[in-house]
Amino acid sequence: MFGLIAPALFVLIWSTGFIVARAVVPHGAPELILAIRLTLTTLLLGGAALYARQGWPRGRRLGLHLAAGAMLHGFYLTLSWWAVNHAMPAGIMSLLGSLQPLMVAVASVALLGERLPARTWGGLGIAIIGVGCVLMPAIERSGAGAIGIVPVVAGIVAVLAMTGGTLIQRGAIAGDPILMSGAAQNAGGALVAIAATFIVGEWRWDNAPILWIGLGWSVLGLSAAGLSLLVWLVRHQGPTAMSMLLLLVPPLAAIEAWLLFGEKLGPVQLVGFALALGGVLLGRSRGAKVEETAEPG
């Protein structure tokens, strides 16, 4: 029974990543919220790792975990939340995040000398065209619903940072225990978010109930329950099934953003959304070696 419920529950939880960001950034500085969130997640996973008697990494191994976390959790979340705080729709940011596996595949060619099938390159091209269809109308629009160039660039750089963190994960630390890895990497992300908080110098925190609810959900729902479900699904249903589930996240996030915040996509953007997800599906299809990541937003 749980095997039937788990996939739907996972997609529902994962889709709320940028919905939480959209809900809480009006009430608190995004860098400050993320610094608190990642610190609390580090303590939660660190305590669980200690209880499970998973040893803490040292030396170069610890450095790799911190670097991966700085990119996966720190730069990715800080930049993407900043973009959401500056008018990037939650559904579009979620769509950008879905391109990360294809970007990892292309980076693997450049950095690791891997060879990719033609379908991956074709999927990447289709996905890029689709993202262009989604972004260009919003960039060209003026007034409500417009997106500035800077938030778009921040969102793209965020996904590039997540790609870099995923490549680090593929190395010597790939087989390390989940809880310990999560704790160390969230610590790396927390360091980036804390530094960003001091650099930006914004300490806005209005104590609104939605702010505390969003923080609690980010730590317990996304980090604890979501990651646990992801690991369970990968181990019991395989990475291919998981990659298919992840394709459902951006459309669901877009629907949630429409229902909760009134974010809308025009006809050209809807076509672009379908093209982008179709391109990702083609690139992830059988025979394409594409890595997954566990960062929801």
Side-chain angles (χ1 to χ4, degrees):
M1 177 62 73
F2 183 72
L4 297 176
I5 298 174
L9 185 60
F10 169 77
V11 172
L12 182 61
I13 291 174
W14 222 239
S15 68
T16 63
F18 289 111
I19 301 301
V20 170
R22 177 70 171 78
V24 301
V25 292
H27 303 282
E31 300 82 12
L32 178 60
I33 298 171
L34 286 171
I36 296 172
R37 166 187 168 177
L38 293 171
T39 299
L40 291 175
T41 303
T42 299
L43 295 174
L44 174 67
L45 295 179
L50 184 63
Y51 179 79
R53 297 185 178 183
Q54 295 181 1
W56 193 258
R58 296 181 181 180
R60 181 176 179 272
R61 203 176 204 86
L62 175 59
L64 289 173
H65 277 292
L66 292 175
M71 301 183 80
L72 275 172
H73 303 296
F75 289 109
Y76 170 65
L77 286 177
T78 300
L79 288 169
S80 58
W81 277 44
W82 184 91
V84 170
N85 191 37
H86 289 78
M88 174 71 82
I92 293 179
M93 190 62 235
S94 181
L95 176 65
L96 288 178
S98 73
L99 301 181
Q100 179 267 349
L102 293 186
M103 296 173 73
V104 169
V106 174
S108 297
V109 173
L111 300 177
L112 304 178
E114 294 186 1
R115 298 178 61 87
L116 296 177
R119 74 186 72 191
T120 300
W121 294 109
L124 179 64
I126 293 171
I128 290 174
I129 293 171
V131 169
C133 292
V134 173
L135 288 176
M136 289 309 298
I139 293 173
E140 295 172 350
R141 189 184 303 142
S142 60
I147 306 176
I149 293 293
V150 176
V152 170
V153 172
I156 293 172
V157 173
V159 179
L160 289 173
M162 182 168 57
T163 301
T166 302
L167 289 173
I168 295 175
Q169 293 261 36
R170 295 181 60 183
I173 62 175
D176 285 356
I178 294 294
L179 293 174
M180 177 274 291
S181 297
Q185 291 175 27
N186 273 275
L191 291 174
V192 172
I194 291 170
T197 301
F198 282 99
I199 291 171
V200 174
E202 185 180 2
W203 305 93
R204 180 168 49 90
W205 186 280
D206 66 7
N207 275 322
I210 189 64
L211 182 53
W212 290 103
I213 292 171
L215 179 62
W217 177 251
S218 294
V219 174
L220 299 176
L222 289 167
S223 295
L227 283 174
S228 297
L229 278 171
L230 183 145
V231 173
W232 188 92
L233 286 166
V234 168
R235 291 179 178 176
H236 288 81
Q237 299 186 8
T240 300
M242 173 55 64
S243 88
M244 297 297 291
L245 285 177
L246 290 172
L247 287 176
L248 300 176
V249 170
L252 184 55
I255 292 171
E256 292 166 352
W258 170 63
L259 291 172
L260 295 173
F261 310 118
E263 294 181 1
K264 298 178 181 179
L265 297 174
V268 173
Q269 290 176 300
L270 289 173
V271 172
F273 218 92
L275 281 173
L277 292 177
V280 174
L281 177 60
L282 176 63
R284 288 177 166 185
S285 61
R286 188 175 180 181
K289 295 172 65 175
V290 180
E291 296 295 320
E292 304 297 338
T293 188
E295 183 55 60

